[in-house]
Amino acid sequence: MSEALAARPYLRRKVPLVRTVGDYSPVGVPADLYGEDDGGQVVETGHQIPVGLK
């Protein structure tokens, strides 16, 4: 938070402050991937792999 306060002194005010964005575009999420091994057991095949939303 100290970096934010240094960069934006108005955050120190004691009054409520709301900021919004006009538009956003999500690009993906991290996901764990699972598959089956040779014995048919479910195993994790990938950890925190970026998966696109499009």
Side-chain angles (χ1 to χ4, degrees):
M1 182 72 170
S2 61
E3 289 182 37
L5 291 175
R8 305 288 189 261
Y10 58 79
L11 293 175
R12 295 181 191 181
R13 296 183 197 161
K14 300 290 184 196
V15 296
L17 175 68
V18 176
R19 298 281 189 211
T20 61
V21 296
D23 192 20
Y24 67 94
S25 179
V27 294
V29 296
D32 295 336
L33 303 179
Y34 295 88
E36 290 185 4
D37 64 9
D38 294 336
Q41 295 292 318
V42 175
V43 295
E44 185 175 342
T45 60
H47 183 71
Q48 298 292 305
I49 305 297
V51 177
L53 297 177
K54 291 185 178 186

